[in-house]
Amino acid sequence: MTFDRHLAEIAREHSKWTIWRSDAGRWWATRHHPLDDEQRAAGCAMTIDADDPDDLRKQLRDQERRTSGPEWGAGSAPP
């Protein structure tokens, strides 16, 4: 699969993030909305990077689990 196709699939799976691949070949994701203090305390990051698309997906799932507490709803930012 081409990296463009990986980018499109990951972006579709994680619509609250901007996904890209750097010229150096690293895979990156940045949230569309800033984090609050609770999210930062829970280990959330504004931007993450990975060596390959599979690792980026893994990190994105981890980040989304960190923001899916009952008070926020699954994968959503706090109100």
Side-chain angles (χ1 to χ4, degrees), residues 2-57:
T2 67
F3 76 88
D4 285 335
R5 188 159 184 177
H6 279 292
L7 285 172
E9 285 183 3
I10 296 170
R12 200 170 27 256
E13 293 165 8
H14 302 279
S15 61
K16 295 179 183 179
W17 296 78
T18 297
I19 312 297
W20 77 97
R21 185 171 179 250
S22 71
D23 291 341
R26 298 223 23 104
W27 293 77
W28 294 84
T30 292
R31 292 178 189 272
H32 292 174
H33 302 287
L35 297 169
D36 64 22
D37 291 338
E38 279 186 76
Q39 290 169 317
R40 282 190 288 281
C44 296
M46 273 302 295
T47 301
I48 56 175
D49 69 311
D51 291 327
D52 57 58
D54 291 333
D55 188 38
L56 186 64
R57 279 186 169 103

